[in-house]
Amino acid sequence: PTLDAALVDTATRRAVDAVTVRPALDGSGFVVDFVARNVPPLGWRYFVLANETAAVRKYGKVAMLRDARSAVASSGPLLAEAELEKDGIRVHLTLDRDSSAVRMAIQRGTGHSEVVVHQLRQYFVNPRVQSSGAYIMHSFMLMYAIVFYVFGGGLCAGLCAAVVVAARRRRIQPDKAAAASRSPPTALLLGAAVGLALVYYVEQVASIAALNRWAGGSALSSAGLAAVALAVGYVSATVLGARARLCVFFIYGASAAVVAVLFGAPTWQSRPLAVDGARIGGFRVETGGAVCDAASVGVGNSASVVYRLCAGQSNVVEVSVRVEAEADREIVAHFALPDSGMLPRQCAFDMFDGVGVVRRQYQRWTPVPGNYYPAVSHVALASGRLALHSRQATGATCVAANTLEVGMHRSLSANDYRGLNQPLVDDSVATVTHFVDIGAAASP
């Protein structure tokens, strides 16, 4: 569409050049893009639409604009890749439909491309488990602990049952070769493997409904989980020759693996927002505008992301997320460099807290909620390789090497017993905007 009206600077009473009109991505009307010049550092400047009635008459009312937006969106192709370009800066976007992660490759001139991966993730919590009023819910850690306790009890019962059965049957002692293959290191490794598999299944594979039943006091579901654990323990003890000493080492290995991964790999505690392939499939691109090039993509059933590269600020990529949180969910965003790792070892980050830039360090043996800090407008890796500038205050942390995690939205259906004495249900739609600066110095 074109603008059937003049955008006028009220100070100079002159029309603004290079104006672009486009339907709003959320269907709420139309958006006018332009460059606002000569704005005072500590003041403002007014721009108005002259003959605005004519513009509204041409584009129609809000309802008609929503219909026009749907027609424009449906007519464009869905792309797995998109490219934005302004002021000689190119941003190549690649969508991973399986994980909903978007890879942004930013190339300045003919130089080397800097890459950052953006992904929306979610934490979830059982509302029956007491949670915290911090930036992120504490109770998901307690929920996992309850599940591990139930499974651990069943596992120990299975190990003991196998040892008792073998003793009653008075099995013949295995030969030396078999005994050597069933040494304490073997038991430790087998226990660690079982522990790792358990943590991965609980944190990344098991359905949220199943976790709620296991941790929410459902006797039947807890009994089913314990029965599975008992079977795993019985089989494991049989593999170890039903020797009590090796079973103890097995328990040591499994326990150490669970604790190490639970605290040492915090990225496993959140899951990517599922991609609704029937609705999304790829990017919708708007390029050629006088001010900004944009690419939008839907993530799951409750979020959409717009990536913008604008004239005059092409040194940063604007990432605007429109999201609503389902019940008992915490929505977060990850910004990671390609060489990011799973462990938060030496993960230091700088943030502006409203007074000055403060350096923070992720504490490995502190749960994720205890590592969240308030960032008023800026957070960056201590190395300066990645910085985020935000339009609104938010909570942020560094859950893995070269990875920044920022809070987006949350909704809790139960009382968190932290002062409000009521559920924290928030079904509103939030729009959170960050400006991604790769290779920038960490300064607000």
Side-chain angles (χ1 to χ4, degrees), residues 309-333:
L309 185 66
C310 298
Q313 61 178 38
S314 54
N315 60 317
V316 296
V317 179
E318 178 182 342
V319 180
S320 183
V321 180
R322 188 174 183 269
V323 62
E324 57 182 327
E326 299 180 29
D328 303 310
R329 299 290 191 279
E330 173 94 12
I331 309 300
V332 299

Side-chain angles (χ1 to χ4, degrees), residues 25-361:
L25 290 174
D26 60 0
S28 60
F30 63 91
V31 176
V32 179
D33 289 331
F34 67 99
V35 177
R37 304 184 185 279
N38 301 320
V39 179
L42 299 178
W44 53 84
R45 201 174 187 91
Y46 290 103
F47 298 85
V48 298
L49 281 175
N51 195 16
E52 185 177 4
T53 303
V56 174
R57 183 166 59 249
K58 178 170 183 177
Y59 296 112
K61 297 181 179 180
V62 172
M64 295 180 64
L65 285 168
R66 285 175 178 166
D67 294 340
R69 180 254 181 185
S70 299
V72 171
S74 61
S75 63
L78 295 177
L79 307 174
E81 298 184 7
E83 188 165 288
L84 314 177
E85 183 174 3
K86 276 287 181 291
D87 297 343
I89 308 297
R90 291 184 178 181
V91 178
H92 188 82
L93 304 174
T94 305
L95 172 65
D96 184 343
R97 292 188 176 95
D98 295 330
S99 65
S100 72
V102 173
R103 182 180 184 271
M104 295 183 286
I106 304 174
Q107 183 178 12
R108 296 178 173 90
T110 59
H112 176 69
S113 295
E114 300 286 349
V115 178
V116 62
V117 178
H118 176 242
Q119 184 182 44
L120 294 182
R121 301 178 68 88
Q122 64 175 340
Y123 293 89
F124 53 91
V125 62
N126 189 320
R128 296 185 180 181
V129 180
Q130 181 174 329
S131 61
S132 168
Y135 279 94
I136 208 168
M137 304 174 188
H138 281 78
S139 56
F140 65 85
M141 179 70 80
L142 180 57
M143 176 181 66
Y144 290 142
I146 294 175
V147 174
F148 295 149
Y149 288 150
V150 174
F151 190 91
L155 191 68
C156 292
L159 293 170
C160 294
V163 172
V164 171
V165 170
R168 288 186 176 181
R169 291 179 178 178
R170 296 181 179 179
R171 292 185 176 180
I172 301 175
Q173 189 72 13
D175 55 28
K176 294 183 179 180
S181 65
R182 297 167 182 172
S183 60
T186 302
L188 284 172
L189 290 176
L190 181 59
V194 172
L196 288 174
L198 170 64
V199 175
Y200 182 80
Y201 178 80
V202 170
E203 294 187 343
Q204 293 291 311
V205 179
S207 68
I208 297 174
L211 287 176
N212 285 335
R213 290 194 300 269
W214 293 337
S218 173
L220 183 61
S221 297
S222 298
L225 177 64
V228 172
L230 190 148
V232 172
Y234 191 92
V235 172
S236 300
T238 302
V239 171
L240 296 173
R243 299 167 62 186
R245 178 169 171 266
L246 295 183
C247 289
V248 172
F249 281 101
F250 176 89
I251 295 175
Y252 286 160
S255 302
V258 169
V259 173
V261 176
L262 194 61
F263 288 93
T267 53
W268 280 17
Q269 295 175 21
S270 62
R271 300 183 184 183
L273 281 179
V275 174
D276 186 353
R279 172 190 163 198
I280 303 163
F283 294 105
R284 302 189 190 277
V285 183
E286 298 177 7
T287 58
V291 179
C292 298
D293 283 357
S296 61
V297 63
V299 180
N301 297 315
S302 57
S304 61
V305 187
V306 181
Y307 301 89
R308 289 192 184 94
L309 185 66
C310 298
Q313 61 178 38
S314 54
N315 60 317
V316 296
V317 179
E318 178 182 342
V319 180
S320 183
V321 180
R322 188 174 183 269
V323 62
E324 57 182 327
E326 299 180 29
D328 303 310
R329 299 290 191 279
E330 173 94 12
I331 309 300
V332 299
H334 277 192
F335 294 87
L337 297 177
D339 55 348
S340 61
M342 185 176 67
L343 300 179
R345 183 163 36 198
Q346 296 183 358
C347 188
F349 53 103
D350 298 328
M351 52 177 40
F352 181 67
D353 62 359
V355 178
V357 177
V358 181
R359 174 156 296 184
R360 304 291 188 181
Q361 177 79 38

